[in-house]
């Protein structure tokens, strides 16, 4: 086990509260397929993935892992594994193909059936409204840099809230708005593939606004008992040294990764230092009166997606070379106005994504949320690892590295609980191997192996390990698996 995992491991036995949610997460475009069925129209990810050169091998989500047709089997698999919650996202263009106007009932019916199936298997659904699949028509009208997109999102949120709010208790408005804004509109490694740093900051604000308007729309149509949250991929940003220049670099990245969302969502204001740092690009004039109050309305919970920390320093002005921030390859940075910052590979073992395994970052972020949002229930809404998994000759898939990863990170969650954090659940990313965006199908994050030729599902040894954890509320030793 890496040293970092050991340092995050409390004394055994590692037990969790009885009501803890043991879940797995997915997103619509990554698993559903059926992109032309039942009235669905293209999202920005259909367009992007079908544009030559944008994804590894030109791969796309046309079929993905065919969850749209196999959802019953997938729910049965979760029930067999003893999971008590499932986080999935709704495909906006399946429900509201043009991003405006009335819903397509056939699209909504799929999610009604999925929710019914989950509930009858005793699995709590947790719905994310936006996991990056903007209807293409809304991008053609300007996308997230335009304020109108936030209003369109609120209408869509109301539609889904009306359809599912009586049976779904856990809601997330957006998944990782950082990726949608900065990978989508600054570095361009994600859809819609734009490379305009000023537009990415406008997009970030309008995503925040969409959260606020969407949360209000959900609450206007749902029972008050339901929980409305957002899932952020907040970053554990660490300076390379204690030199003033490296500390300033870390502060800048902290603003661009965290402050841009934590500020308005949790504190009702963007950090002044973010305004100062981005002044060459934007005057933030699109933040209108009343926006911050809307964005800052009370949350019922907060979702954290965590994979790896970031190590930064001041850039050496003479050094040229590739960025090492783990967010894909592009000539354009996803960090607006941060050319003076360098990213470094953090020490330690890495996953197949090249991401260093460091559960201390998860503990650090949970404790940060506990300080910044006191009293708010927390969920780890994504955490997991890609490995080059292959079936053995006997057909079984052994993934001891993933078991060690999960053990280390769940131990960090347990340590945060002991330190007073109110963590109510953990969602492994991901239930199934799936379409890993620009990386195509080459990066396998699933606890369940998918044979892409036959689409057959085989739970990996990590799925069995996680199943024992979920059933007992205790972490089995990795070596016992
Ligand atoms: O696959 C993604 C997911 O869609 C969002 N969070 C990170 C995962 C791994 O890259």
């Amino acid at each position: 086990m890496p040293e970092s995992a050991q340092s995050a491991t409390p004394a055994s036995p590692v037990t969790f509260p009885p009501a803890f949610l043991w879940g797995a997460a997915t997103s619509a475009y990554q698993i559903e397929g059926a992109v032309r069925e039942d009235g669905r129209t293209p999202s920005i990810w259909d367009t992007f993935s079908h544009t030559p050169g944008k994804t590894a091998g030109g791969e796309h989500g046309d079929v993905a892992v065919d969850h749209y047709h196999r959802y019953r089997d997938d729910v049965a698999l979760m029930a067999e594994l003893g999971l008590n919650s499932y986080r999935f996202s709704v495909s906006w263009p399946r429900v509201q193909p043009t991003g405006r106007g009335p819903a397509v009932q056939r699209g909504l019916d799929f999610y009604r059936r999925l929710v019914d199936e989950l509930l009858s298997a005793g699995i709590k659904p947790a719905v994310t409204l936006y996991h990056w699949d903007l209807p293409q028509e809304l991008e053609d009208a300007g996308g997230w840099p335009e304020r109108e997109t936030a209003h369109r999102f609120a209408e869509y949120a109301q539609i889904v809230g009306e359809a599912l709010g009586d049976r779904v208790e856990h809601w997330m408005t957006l998944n990782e708005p950082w990726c949608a804004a900065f990978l989508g509109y600054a570095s361009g490694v994600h859809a819609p593939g734009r490379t305009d740093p000023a537009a990415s900051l406008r997009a970030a604000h309008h995503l925040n606004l969409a959260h606020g308007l969407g949360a209000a729309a959900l609450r206007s149509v749902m029972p008050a008992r339901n929980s409305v949250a957002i899932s952020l991929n907040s970053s554990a940003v660490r300076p390379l040294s204690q030199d003033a220049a490296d500390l300033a670099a870390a502060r800048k990245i902290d603003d661009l990764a965290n402050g841009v969302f934590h500020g308005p969502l949790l504190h009702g204001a963007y950090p002044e230092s973010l305004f100062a740092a981005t002044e060459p690009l934007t005057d933030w004039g699109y933040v209108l009166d009343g926006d911050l109050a809307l964005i800052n309305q009370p949350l019922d919970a907060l979702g954290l997606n965590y994979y790896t920390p970031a190590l930064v320093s001041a850039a050496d002005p003479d050094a040229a070379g590739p960025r090492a921030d783990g967010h894909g390859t592009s000539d354009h940075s996803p960090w607006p106005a941060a050319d003076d910052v360098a990213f470094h590979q953090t020490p330690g073992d890495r996953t197949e994504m090249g991401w260093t395994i460091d559960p201390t970052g998860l503990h650090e972020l949970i404790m940060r949320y506990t300080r910044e949002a006191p009293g708010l229930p927390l969920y780890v809404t994504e955490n997991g690892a890609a490995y080059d998994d292959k079936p053995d000759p006997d057909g079984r898939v052994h993934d001891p590295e993933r078991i060690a990863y999960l053990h280390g990170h769940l131990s960090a969650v347990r340590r945060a609980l002991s330190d007073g954090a109110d963590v109510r659940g953990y969602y492994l990313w991901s239930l199934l191997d799936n379409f890993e965006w620009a990386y195509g199908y080459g990066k396998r994050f699933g606890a369940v192996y998918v044979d892409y030729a036959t689409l057959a599902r085989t739970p990996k040894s990590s799925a069995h390990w996680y199943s024992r954890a979920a059933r007992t509320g205790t972490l089995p030793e990795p070596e016992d698996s």
Side-chain angles (χ1 to χ4, degrees):
M1 188 188 301
E3 196 181 271
S4 51
Q6 272 169 354
S7 63
T9 307
S12 61
V14 184
T15 51
F16 285 74
F20 197 76
L21 293 184
W22 296 87
T26 62
S27 88
Y29 191 71
Q30 292 180 274
I31 64 164
E32 284 181 2
V35 293
R36 283 176 277 277
E37 281 182 46
D38 295 332
R40 184 188 179 281
T41 55
S43 75
I44 54 175
W45 267 99
D46 296 85
T47 308
F48 186 77
S49 61
H50 281 275
T51 304
K54 298 296 186 191
T55 65
E59 289 173 343
H60 48 69
D62 284 11
V63 176
V65 297
D66 196 30
H67 173 76
Y68 194 73
H69 299 115
R70 295 169 194 242
Y71 72 93
R72 282 200 179 86
D73 295 344
D74 292 338
V75 173
L77 202 51
M78 285 187 265
E80 272 166 43
L81 292 172
L83 306 191
N84 59 12
S85 190
Y86 173 52
R87 173 176 178 247
F88 63 93
S89 78
V90 172
S91 160
W92 189 346
R94 202 179 279 298
V95 163
Q96 200 188 26
T98 61
R100 306 166 194 281
V104 167
Q105 290 305 319
R106 282 173 302 161
L108 271 176
D109 284 345
F110 167 68
Y111 298 104
R112 291 188 176 107
R113 291 193 300 272
L114 173 60
V115 165
D116 287 346
E117 195 75 14
L118 288 164
L119 291 173
S120 62
I123 299 171
K124 274 185 200 294
V127 168
T128 305
L129 289 172
Y130 186 71
H131 198 124
W132 309 348
D133 44 359
L134 186 71
Q136 182 62 43
E137 281 205 24
L138 292 186
E139 173 59 22
D140 295 343
W144 286 111
E146 291 306 317
R147 188 176 180 87
E148 175 64 10
T149 306
H151 290 284
R152 298 293 100 244
F153 177 78
E155 187 178 86
Y156 156 67
Q158 181 165 337
I159 289 170
V160 184
E162 271 166 355
L164 305 177
D166 58 336
R167 283 159 303 150
V168 175
E169 187 187 325
H170 294 276
W171 292 79
M172 278 130 295
T173 52
L174 310 177
N175 182 70
E176 300 183 2
W178 185 87
C179 295
F182 298 109
L183 301 182
Y185 292 90
S187 70
V189 299
H190 277 191
R194 288 206 241 163
T195 52
D196 177 347
S200 73
L201 292 164
R202 292 176 66 101
H205 177 64
H206 294 136
L207 282 153
N208 281 328
L209 184 62
H211 161 79
L213 292 166
L218 281 177
R219 287 186 172 126
S220 73
V221 294
M222 291 196 320
R225 64 169 184 273
N226 288 354
S227 158
V228 179
I230 183 169
S231 288
L232 300 176
N233 57 322
S234 300
S235 191
V237 184
R238 294 164 179 178
L240 187 64
S241 79
Q242 293 303 306
D243 290 354
D246 290 350
L247 292 173
R251 262 195 307 276
K252 183 184 264 193
I253 296 306
D254 191 72
D255 279 346
L256 288 165
N258 302 324
V260 64
F261 301 110
H262 294 202
L265 285 162
L266 304 178
H267 311 298
Y270 286 102
E272 284 300 324
S273 46
L274 174 70
F275 290 150
T278 54
E279 205 175 10
L281 291 172
T282 177
D283 63 3
W284 292 83
Y286 38 85
V287 181
L288 304 188
D289 282 353
D291 283 5
L292 289 165
L294 250 173
I295 299 167
N296 185 226
Q297 65 185 281
L299 286 161
D300 300 307
L302 198 49
L304 166 64
N305 295 358
Y306 172 79
Y307 292 88
T308 193
L311 185 61
V312 305
S313 71
D316 172 352
D318 300 327
R323 234 185 31 244
D325 65 2
H327 291 293
T329 311
S330 163
D331 293 338
H332 301 268
S333 169
W335 303 102
D339 292 347
D340 52 349
V341 177
F343 288 81
H344 304 268
Q345 182 74 51
T346 43
D349 292 343
R350 301 184 208 167
T351 69
E352 193 66 15
M353 295 296 281
W355 296 345
T356 304
I357 302 162
D358 187 348
T360 65
L362 179 56
H363 177 268
E364 176 185 324
L365 285 167
I366 294 172
M367 297 318 293
R368 176 172 176 170
Y369 280 6
T370 302
R371 285 190 306 277
E372 283 197 46
L376 211 54
L378 307 177
Y379 293 86
V380 177
T381 41
E382 282 184 29
N383 176 241
Y387 287 106
D388 187 17
D389 306 308
K390 293 190 177 65
D392 287 348
D394 64 3
R396 291 191 223 173
V397 184
H398 291 288
D399 56 344
E401 307 92 341
R402 185 173 289 101
I403 293 174
Y405 184 100
L406 297 175
H407 185 272
H409 286 78
L410 278 157
S411 298
V413 172
R414 187 62 191 87
R415 190 157 67 90
L417 281 162
S418 304
D419 292 344
D422 184 10
V423 189
R424 307 261 178 108
Y426 173 94
Y427 293 84
L428 183 162
W429 184 271
S430 179
L431 175 66
L432 303 157
D433 291 336
N434 61 47
F435 176 71
E436 177 54 24
W437 308 112
Y439 295 92
Y441 294 94
K443 306 290 181 202
R444 293 180 176 273
F445 273 93
V448 174
Y449 182 86
V450 177
D451 176 336
Y452 289 123
T454 62
L455 296 175
R457 277 89 157 125
T458 306
K460 303 176 191 176
S461 46
S462 60
H464 296 300
W465 179 90
Y466 190 60
S467 168
R468 283 166 59 202
R471 286 183 197 286
T472 61
T474 305
L475 299 186
E477 282 306 312
E479 304 75 49
D480 296 346
S481 305

